C-alpha cells in the first residue's frame, strides 16, 4: 500500500454489500483525503467506503434462529411412533413351519 492519499479512480479493496465479498473498488467520491464512496468493479454498485471491513456477520444469529424454529416445528410434531417390534424369531417361525409341515404330512 502506498502512503499517498487516495485519489478518484484509485482501485482499493472494499467490501461490496451487493456482492457480499471483499472486492476491488474504484474510488468515486472523496471526503477530504478520505475515501467516501466507492464503486464495485464487479457489479458497479456505488456505496459508502467501508474501510475494507465486512459488516459483522449475522449468519450465526440467523442460523440460531433457524435452529430454534426447527426446534419449534419438532416440538409441535407428534412423538415418533414406538419402535417397530422386532421381527419374529426366525428359528421359532421355522419350527412352526416344520410343525405345519408335519401336520400336513399327517393329513395325507
Ligand atoms: Zn459488487
Amino acid at each position: 500500500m502506498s502512503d499517498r492519499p487516495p485519489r478518484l479512480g484509485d482501485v482499493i479493496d472494499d467490501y461490496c454489500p451487493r456482492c457480499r465479498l471483499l472486492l476491488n473498488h474504484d474510488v468515486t467520491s472523496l471526503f477530504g483525503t478520505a475515501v467516501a464512496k466507492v464503486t464495485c468493479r464487479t457489479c458497479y454498485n456505488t456505496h459508502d467506503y467501508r474501510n475494507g471491513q465486512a459488516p459483522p456477520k449475522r449468519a450465526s444469529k440467523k442460523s440460531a434462529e433457524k435452529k430454534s424454529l426447527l426446534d419449534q416445528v419438532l416440538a409441535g410434531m407428534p412423538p415418533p411412533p414406538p419402535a417397530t417390534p422386532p421381527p419374529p424369531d426366525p428359528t421359532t417361525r421355522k419350527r412352526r413351519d416344520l410343525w405345519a409341515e408335519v401336520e400336513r404330512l399327517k393329513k395325507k
Side-chain angles (χ1 to χ4, degrees):
M1 287 292 275
S2 64
D3 43 17
R4 67 167 173 76
R7 287 186 296 194
L8 290 178
D10 278 0
V11 177
I12 52 170
D13 280 344
D14 194 20
Y15 177 82
C16 174
R18 191 184 284 184
C19 300
R20 295 176 187 177
L21 285 170
L22 199 67
L23 293 164
N24 284 340
H25 285 69
D26 287 324
V27 175
T28 47
S29 181
L30 288 168
F31 186 77
T33 55
V35 178
K37 283 190 181 291
V38 291
T39 299
C40 174
R41 286 173 74 92
T42 301
C43 70
Y44 302 103
N45 176 40
T46 300
H47 55 85
D48 291 340
Y49 182 51
R50 294 162 190 269
N51 298 297
Q53 299 294 310
K57 278 191 177 157
R58 285 172 296 176
S60 58
K61 194 190 168 204
K62 213 172 194 175
S63 68
E65 278 172 10
K66 201 182 259 178
K67 190 165 180 282
S68 72
L69 197 68
L70 184 67
D71 285 344
Q72 281 176 35
V73 170
L74 288 174
M77 273 167 63
T84 51
D89 189 355
T91 56
T92 312
R93 207 176 75 189
K94 206 168 195 174
R95 203 176 298 141
R96 195 189 302 141
D97 288 352
L98 199 66
W99 278 114
E101 188 74 4
V102 167
E103 291 299 311
R104 200 171 61 81
L105 288 169
K106 271 184 185 171
K107 276 176 192 168
K108 262 190 176 173

